Amino acid sequence: MQSIEAIELNRLVIHGINNLAEEPEIAEKEEVLSEGLRHFFEEHIRNCVKSSSAKTGKFNGSDTTISTCAARMIEAPDTFVEQGKVIGMWFSHQMAKSSQVQTFLAVGLFTDLDTEDRYLALLKMDAVRAYVKRGSGAGAFEQIQILPDPTRQLLRFAIARPYNDEVRYDVIFRNQPASKDEDPDTSSMWLDAFLEAAEVATPRQMTQLVVKETEKWLQQNEAELDEKETELLRSSVRTLAQTEEIDVEAIASAAIKDEEKREQYIGRLLDKGLTETTFQPDREWA
């Protein structure tokens, strides 16, 4: 998902949530995607996919609300509005636990034009205050609320596909608090309650960890390794970090002769947070 480039927004609904109102404003029909509106939300989605602060997450299971709705939407796009209502009501239920009073949730179904795969976009859009001038003279400026421009990074969003136990992550998300003193229920609402997912390390984080911790381990064990072992391990990690797959155990077996040292090296990486010894590295970073 993080390699998505060209997209086309296919369907869109926007729900209004106000904790002071008796009922949420759940969209009953799709938005008419004019050229301007389509471009506006496609820019938001592209910015979400490419966000440097985006993280990756795994749904808690295939029966979670968002995963279930995403699966149905993708398989049968004509159910989009119906499933969008389910997502809107689910979000409203979770927002009731939050201290935030008002927000909007944009639910979009879009296609990756390079692969023809469909994805679900969930954009939490906190309204921005603006002023428009109506007429002339004193009091001509009227305060209105508008959706944030694509140049403003959204604090919370999710780009999702249905749960798949054969892939490492199902969701690209951002869960940035609105302030330093944001209450715990609001902070945990997006990922834990609404998405029902848990964060997993990104390919970039794992690639950085292996490269940096390998160098530290080599420096600490320089006296106990011969020069060939040191150079082979260092060059193998750097080279394979730019390929389709990096296998830490295979690298260690090929480069480090002593079994105890191999176990120490792999153990260090695991202790530092590596969750998989074989993974697809971030070649762009490497």
Side-chain angles (χ1 to χ4, degrees):
M1 285 197 293
Q2 292 177 304
S3 62
I4 294 173
E5 295 286 348
I7 68 167
E8 180 180 27
L9 180 62
N10 308 121
R11 297 169 185 265
L12 174 72
V13 293
I14 303 175
H15 305 299
I17 310 299
N18 188 330
N19 280 340
L20 299 180
E22 291 185 7
E23 297 289 340
E25 295 179 11
I26 302 300
E28 295 289 337
K29 58 183 180 179
E30 295 180 38
E31 295 292 333
V32 177
L33 290 173
S34 64
E35 183 178 348
L37 190 63
R38 185 190 300 274
H39 177 74
F40 178 88
F41 279 97
E42 285 179 347
E43 281 296 297
H44 265 300
I45 293 169
R46 276 191 287 267
N47 291 343
C48 291
V49 172
K50 297 303 179 183
S51 171
S52 60
S53 58
K55 299 179 179 181
T56 52
K58 190 73 182 170
F59 286 125
N60 296 336
S62 60
D63 58 348
T64 55
T65 301
I66 302 303
S67 177
T68 301
C69 291
R72 291 173 180 170
M73 284 180 176
I74 291 169
E75 183 178 350
D78 59 336
T79 67
F80 175 77
V81 173
E82 177 187 348
Q83 298 304 318
K85 288 181 182 179
V86 174
I87 292 174
M89 292 302 297
W90 176 243
F91 180 64
S92 174
H93 176 67
Q94 305 307 324
M95 270 291 294
K97 308 170 188 175
S98 167
S99 62
Q100 186 177 4
V101 175
Q102 184 178 19
T103 192
F104 294 92
L105 179 70
V107 180
L109 186 66
F110 72 94
T111 302
D112 177 353
L113 296 179
D114 293 321
T115 64
E116 296 299 319
D117 291 329
R118 291 194 186 101
Y119 298 94
L120 175 65
L122 302 168
L123 313 179
K124 184 176 180 291
M125 311 191 82
D126 299 328
V128 179
R129 280 189 294 179
Y131 290 86
V132 294
K133 186 177 182 182
R134 302 190 189 279
S136 60
F141 287 93
E142 178 185 341
Q143 180 180 306
I144 61 172
Q145 289 188 324
I146 61 174
L147 296 180
D149 187 86
T151 58
R152 299 170 65 101
Q153 189 172 30
L154 300 178
L155 295 179
R156 291 182 165 98
F157 64 75
I159 307 298
R161 58 191 172 194
Y163 174 85
N164 183 343
D165 59 8
E166 295 183 357
V167 299
R168 196 172 56 81
Y169 66 92
D170 308 308
V171 185
I172 299 171
F173 74 94
R174 189 168 190 245
N175 186 30
Q176 181 68 34
S179 63
K180 293 181 180 179
D181 58 351
E182 185 175 81
D183 67 282
D185 286 341
T186 300
S187 296
S188 64
M189 179 274 293
W190 185 254
L191 180 63
D192 299 343
F194 176 57
L195 295 177
E196 297 176 286
E199 181 183 347
V200 296
T202 65
R204 175 163 296 191
Q205 289 171 327
M206 292 200 292
T207 306
Q208 291 174 333
L209 186 153
V210 170
V211 172
K212 293 177 180 179
E213 291 302 325
T214 294
E215 192 60 38
K216 290 179 182 178
W217 186 83
L218 285 172
Q219 292 173 3
Q220 293 172 0
N221 292 272
E222 186 176 4
E224 301 172 43
L225 298 170
D226 63 44
E227 188 174 339
K228 288 184 179 180
E229 284 181 305
T230 299
E231 286 307 311
L232 181 56
L233 181 58
R234 178 180 287 118
S235 63
S236 295
V237 167
R238 291 178 176 175
T239 300
L240 291 176
Q242 301 179 54
T243 63
E244 290 292 335
E245 183 178 88
I246 184 167
D247 185 334
V248 172
E249 292 185 355
I251 292 173
S253 296
I256 305 171
K257 298 174 184 177
D258 184 74
E259 183 178 353
E260 184 176 347
K261 279 294 176 188
R262 286 200 301 270
E263 291 179 355
Q264 287 178 7
Y265 167 65
I266 295 171
R268 178 192 178 96
L269 298 180
L270 295 174
D271 289 343
K272 291 296 181 178
L274 187 68
T275 55
E276 302 168 48
T277 56
T278 302
F279 63 91
Q280 184 177 359
D282 186 328
R283 293 183 292 174
E284 182 179 346
W285 178 85

